[in-house]
Amino acid sequence: MTARILVLPGDGIGPEVTRAALAVLECVISSSGHAITVVDGLIGGAALRAGASPLPRETLALARNADAIFLGAVGDPAYDHLPPGRRPESALLQLRQALGLYANLRPARVWPGLEESGPLKPQVLADTDILVVRELTGGLYYGEPRGLASDGRSAVNTLRYTTDEIARVAHRAFTLSRSRRRHVTSVDKANVLEVSRLWRDTVTAVAADYQDVTLTHEYVDAAAMKLALSPSACDVLVTENLFGDILSDEVGALCGSLGLLPSASLGDGPGLFEPVHGSAPSLAGRNCANPIGAIGSLAMLLEHGLGLPGEARRVVSAVEAVLASGLRTADIADGRTEAVSTTTFTDAVTAAYRRS
Ligand code: IPM
Ligand code: MN
């Protein structure tokens, strides 16, 4: 097979973890013989520094023509003073919207050997394996009207969803649950918000097409609590944009570190694959970031973006082998052994991949 991947390293630790993912991709290419080519593009603060807009026109054109897009991270405190629409983060929001990436998949599980890395007791975390399906192109992130009043004394954002927007992401969640434990939890705030009532009714209607899948509804506050109390009870969680943003960080932290979480943003065209952790400015340039989220995102790119599930599994197994050998980056180090750098961990993953 042949494929073209657009790589957008972006800001903060983005370039470092992108290098890690590309090192693993090199191994995949050389051992599989697939003709996968990589092109680079600018995004976020990196684009602003080069004198361009956060999402340069060339980057968007390359994205539309790619088979899949890999993104490191966007976000740079140097541009915190800019209005939302001109900040590095706006590039990601524009890209999601332009490519129609309405379903954001954020899998989180306990990695073997990391049962004690998170804040929960290992017996509480045991068997946790959650897939957050976050609606990604609607809700408060995009609703109009929005803005700060001219007197600076009030501001407005709009929460709006159509039944079509809710139904398409619900279909994705139900379909994905069929290759898992067939349990979907839909998260809303239907006791307060009209949008959430519509969300709940629409998801319930979609569930009729999936008689083999169990559907449960939860209010978002209760869901946040239950995730902390008994994360292993949750299988697929489907929710709107902002709730999904918040709950996926919670789930990441519970499983040991946000640095472990990969993601896939899917629509009807090329998908976007990125670690969930963001640019982490305080870690940037120190070769200490956890590359597992990025390498996991590469695995999701191989599986969902290029249709190579075998290669994806081999990448994940290589990461598991390195964790089993005891190597840990600082965020998941247990204090007994010294933390290793991003590059040392990545070299071990590429070696494990070649051996497998
Ligand atoms: C994420 C991030 C983004 C979001 C930011 C960087 C705009 O936090 O992907 O979770 O809020 O969606
Ligand atoms: Mn987030």
Side-chain angles (χ1 to χ4, degrees):
M1 65 147 265
T2 63
R4 232 164 77 106
I5 299 176
L6 172 64
V7 172
L8 306 171
D11 305 321
I13 58 172
E16 299 163 57
V17 299
T18 299
R19 274 194 292 279
L22 288 179
V24 178
L25 178 62
E26 249 339 289
C27 299
V28 175
I29 295 172
S30 61
S31 85
S32 68
H34 294 310
I36 301 174
T37 54
V38 171
V39 286
D40 260 23
L42 287 173
I43 196 166
L48 286 165
R49 281 175 204 283
S53 62
L55 180 63
R57 221 193 303 270
E58 308 84 80
T59 300
L60 182 56
L62 287 169
R64 290 192 200 281
N65 285 316
D67 294 296
I69 303 146
F70 184 93
L71 176 88
V74 290
D76 184 335
Y79 300 107
D80 275 354
H81 60 284
L82 294 177
R86 291 175 48 212
R87 289 168 62 118
E89 290 88 339
S90 69
L92 185 53
L93 302 181
Q94 286 170 45
L95 194 56
R96 289 169 177 172
Q97 192 175 42
L99 298 178
L101 304 172
Y102 62 86
N104 180 219
L105 281 43
R106 297 185 164 185
R109 60 167 175 133
V110 227
W111 287 84
L114 297 188
E115 295 82 357
E116 295 184 31
S117 299
L120 296 181
K121 298 185 192 76
Q123 65 269 29
V124 174
L125 192 62
D127 301 323
T128 294
D129 182 356
I130 298 173
L131 175 64
V132 177
V133 180
R134 168 187 174 193
E135 199 294 323
L136 203 60
T137 51
L140 282 166
Y141 276 63
Y142 295 96
E144 298 282 349
R146 64 182 296 158
L148 186 63
S150 50
D151 67 1
R153 289 163 64 88
S154 69
V156 65
N157 288 96
T158 300
L159 176 59
R160 175 181 289 115
Y161 269 106
T162 65
T163 51
D164 288 350
E165 287 173 316
I166 301 166
R168 65 183 179 176
V169 73
H171 277 292
R172 287 270 185 163
F174 281 105
T175 303
L176 287 160
S177 82
R178 283 185 164 157
S179 49
R180 298 172 50 95
R181 303 195 301 282
R182 294 174 190 257
H183 185 182
V184 171
T185 304
S186 174
V187 176
D188 61 41
K189 188 70 185 173
N191 49 346
V192 178
L193 303 174
E194 286 78 5
V195 174
S196 282
R197 283 243 49 100
L198 187 72
W199 180 278
R200 192 173 277 222
D201 292 346
T202 307
V203 174
T204 302
V206 169
D209 292 350
Y210 304 86
Q211 297 290 339
D212 54 321
V213 179
T214 308
L215 170 65
T216 310
H217 299 280
E218 290 285 359
Y219 297 137
V220 63
D221 48 353
M225 180 186 66
K226 287 185 183 176
L227 284 171
L229 290 177
S230 52
S232 62
C234 187
D235 177 16
V236 176
L237 194 154
V238 64
T239 190
E240 63 93 42
N241 205 342
L242 184 62
F243 295 163
D245 180 45
I246 298 167
L247 292 179
S248 56
D249 271 30
E250 181 189 359
V251 167
L254 294 178
C255 288
S257 165
L258 202 50
L260 298 166
L261 252 60
S263 85
S265 303
L266 307 175
D268 299 319
L272 172 72
F273 303 84
E274 53 168 323
V276 175
H277 52 60
S279 61
S282 65
L283 306 183
R286 293 171 43 202
N287 194 23
C288 67
N290 189 335
I292 295 180
I295 295 170
S297 301
L298 173 73
M300 293 189 86
L301 183 154
L302 293 167
E303 179 175 352
H304 298 276
L306 306 187
L308 299 172
E311 279 80 355
R313 262 195 304 279
R314 204 170 145 194
V315 169
V316 173
S317 302
V319 173
E320 285 176 346
V322 174
L323 288 174
S325 77
L327 254 50
R328 302 281 184 270
T329 46
D331 58 322
I332 50 172
D334 57 11
R336 288 192 289 265
T337 45
E338 210 183 318
V340 302
S341 66
T342 311
T343 45
T344 299
F345 194 93
T346 304
D347 290 347
V349 174
T350 55
Y353 188 92
R354 288 202 193 88
R355 272 199 310 273
S356 66

